[in-house]
Amino acid sequence: MAGLILLGLFIGTLGTLIGVGGGFILMPVLIFLYPDQNPEFLTSISLAVVFFNSLSGSFAYARMGKIDYKSSLLFSMTTVPGAILGAFTTAYIPRRLFNIVFGVLMILASVFLAFNREKKAGKGPPAGKTIFRQIIDRDGNNYNYSFNPALGMQFGFFVGYLSSLLGIGGGIIHVPLLIYCLNFPVHIATATSHFILVIVALTGTIVHIARGAFVHGAQMTAAISLGVVIGAQLGAGLSRRVQGKWIVLCLAMALAMVGLRIIFTK
């Protein structure tokens, strides 16, 4: 139990720092520790932990004034249906195929980030109908950006589906999309993604509970969640001191390592 709490502390700190909820770290660990368990059981635990991590981190980001609430609720209109569909799909995927899909997705996202990390978010007008946002955080930083809402909602469904399907919360996919496809500033993207994760992870967890997949994972989830709640506060605090380009680079490196390890796990 002490080991699970420490694992949660690490997941909460790193996950909140880069705005991904930590599911991409937890799921590989669960896959390694429980090779005989079915994917639905593992994703149910991971999503529940992601919910507590995202909830704790969102409170911290809210105090900093970095969350784009209007965009979060807009994207959630399609993210929630995607999360419900993904949670139902998990039960029908063989474990080996699950690992391969998970690993390949991580590597592709890593390559994209590694070759695009110097691009500045919030520059250049997006195609199609545009929504403009201005956010001034508690430290006085002024963020001005614009994005295509229709494209954002399409991404929302995709992120919601994969997040519940793979048990990763979706931030590992959503943060790059917000930065590079929707022109969100890095720090706003990480905070906003974290808030969306609260809704997505809660939706997926409820579906898994209703299906009975979560019944034996409550004790494990409680131990890891205790650590992530504390770690999320530490991660949010660190985000003030870390430049956006280093957040993106850490995200790319983490994705590559996780993806390779998962693919070669038998």
Side-chain angles (χ1 to χ4, degrees):
M1 296 299 290
L4 291 176
I5 293 174
L6 290 175
L7 173 63
L9 183 66
F10 172 73
I11 290 171
T13 302
L14 181 59
T16 303
L17 174 63
I18 58 181
V20 298
F24 82 101
I25 307 171
L26 179 58
M27 271 303 295
V29 173
L30 294 178
I31 289 172
F32 301 149
L33 293 178
Y34 306 99
D36 298 325
Q37 288 288 351
N38 63 74
E40 189 175 17
F41 174 74
L42 300 181
T43 56
S44 67
I45 293 174
S46 180
L47 281 178
V49 172
V50 167
F51 166 72
F52 286 108
N53 181 26
S54 303
L55 186 64
S56 178
S58 292
F59 279 121
Y61 280 128
R63 290 195 297 270
M64 298 178 191
K66 293 183 181 294
I67 299 176
D68 183 344
Y69 292 104
K70 291 182 179 180
S71 298
S72 298
L73 296 176
L74 178 67
F75 298 154
S76 295
M77 292 174 62
T78 54
T79 304
V80 169
I84 294 173
L85 181 61
F88 276 103
T89 307
T90 305
Y92 302 99
I93 298 181
R95 176 60 184 267
R96 181 58 185 157
L97 178 60
F98 179 87
N99 287 1
I100 293 174
V101 171
F102 189 101
V104 170
L105 180 65
M106 298 298 99
I107 293 173
L108 290 176
S110 172
V111 171
F112 178 82
L113 287 176
F115 286 98
N116 288 274
R117 65 178 184 271
E118 297 300 327
K119 178 181 176 180
K120 294 182 181 297
K123 303 296 182 182
K129 183 180 178 181
T130 305
I131 289 181
F132 295 90
R133 293 277 193 261
Q134 179 183 36
I135 293 180
I136 302 176
D137 65 18
R138 298 292 186 271
D139 295 326
N141 299 308
N142 190 358
Y143 300 95
N144 292 280
Y145 55 101
S146 58
F147 64 92
N148 184 327
L151 185 60
M153 294 180 74
Q154 293 174 33
F155 287 152
F157 181 85
F158 172 73
V159 169
Y161 178 77
L162 286 182
S163 67
S164 284
L165 176 69
L166 300 176
I168 57 175
I172 201 79
I173 310 165
H174 209 195
V175 170
L177 290 176
L178 288 175
I179 295 172
Y180 294 105
C181 298
L182 295 180
N183 297 314
F184 275 59
V186 172
H187 287 91
I188 299 299
T190 54
T192 300
S193 173
H194 227 66
F195 184 70
I196 295 173
L197 285 180
V198 175
I199 303 172
V200 175
L202 178 61
T203 301
T205 300
I206 290 173
V207 173
H208 283 304
I209 291 174
R211 290 177 57 84
F214 186 73
V215 65
H216 300 298
Q219 187 175 9
M220 187 190 310
T221 301
I224 301 174
S225 297
L226 176 60
V228 300
V229 168
I230 300 171
Q233 301 299 312
L234 296 176
L238 285 174
S239 70
R240 283 179 162 173
R241 300 176 176 84
V242 180
Q243 293 182 358
K245 66 178 181 179
W246 292 111
I247 293 177
V248 175
L249 183 58
C250 287
L251 186 59
M253 293 174 61
L255 281 168
M257 291 187 292
V258 170
L260 289 171
R261 188 67 181 89
I262 288 295
I263 288 176
F264 292 105
T265 297
K266 295 183 179 180

